[in-house]
Amino acid sequence: MLALGLVLNRLGIGLFCWAIFALAVYALPFFVALSVGMLAFRDGTGVFGALLIGISSGALTLAAGQVAVAVSRSLTLRVAIATVFTVPAAIAGYQVIFALSQIGVPSLAWREAFACLGAVCIGGTAWTRLAVFAGTLPSESAGAVVNAPEPVLTAAAHER
């Protein structure tokens, strides 16, 4: 029974860590959705209206950020947009790792060190996930040959 508890404990911690890294990009849209939803609820839209407005604002924030990174030709603008999405993820990573390190690390200095390392790792993960949307633009050739001659088919190619 002890072995099963240890295995399930490691599995649970691994699943939690995977969720933190997988959801790092969504820290800014979640913050926007939560803020707009709470503002809408305070202004009297009700629970359903606040949920609808909050979810749609968060989805719009995420879609606008991804489209802006994918369409932008300016490297400076891409870096600025990626930074806007990465900073809240790094702050959330810092807070999560600091809270988790309070369970088993008695020293405040080591907790801070682990939290800073977690912020860098989770912020880097968010940055990398946003870099996927900044692939080469269709107008850029990316090293591809534009007018390559068609290969000549020989009789040996037809016999196969």
Side-chain angles (χ1 to χ4, degrees):
M1 193 52 87
L2 180 65
L4 180 64
L6 290 173
V7 169
L8 290 178
N9 191 8
R10 286 187 186 247
L11 205 101
I13 290 173
L15 182 66
F16 185 70
C17 290
W18 170 82
I20 289 172
F21 283 104
L23 299 175
V25 175
Y26 307 112
L28 177 69
F30 178 76
F31 173 72
V32 169
L34 191 64
S35 297
V36 170
M38 289 175 65
L39 182 67
F41 183 73
R42 188 193 70 184
D43 289 342
T45 60
V47 175
F48 182 71
L51 281 173
L52 186 65
I53 291 171
I55 289 171
S56 62
S57 66
L60 184 66
T61 302
L62 179 64
Q66 290 176 346
V67 167
V69 168
V71 172
S72 173
R73 292 177 183 250
S74 170
L75 180 63
T76 307
L77 185 60
R78 286 182 184 181
V79 168
I81 294 168
T83 302
V84 167
F85 274 79
T86 302
V87 168
I91 292 170
Y94 175 86
Q95 295 295 330
V96 166
I97 301 301
F98 188 77
L100 286 177
S101 67
Q102 288 179 351
I103 295 171
V105 181
S107 171
L108 181 61
W110 279 108
R111 278 188 268 167
E112 287 287 337
F114 286 140
C116 290
L117 183 65
V120 168
C121 291
I122 293 173
T125 300
W127 183 277
T128 304
R129 288 180 181 260
L130 282 172
V132 169
F133 296 108
T136 58
L137 296 173
S139 62
E140 297 174 0
S141 65
V145 179
V146 177
N147 293 325
E150 293 292 322
V152 178
L153 295 177
T154 62
H158 290 289
E159 290 176 3
R160 287 187 194 171

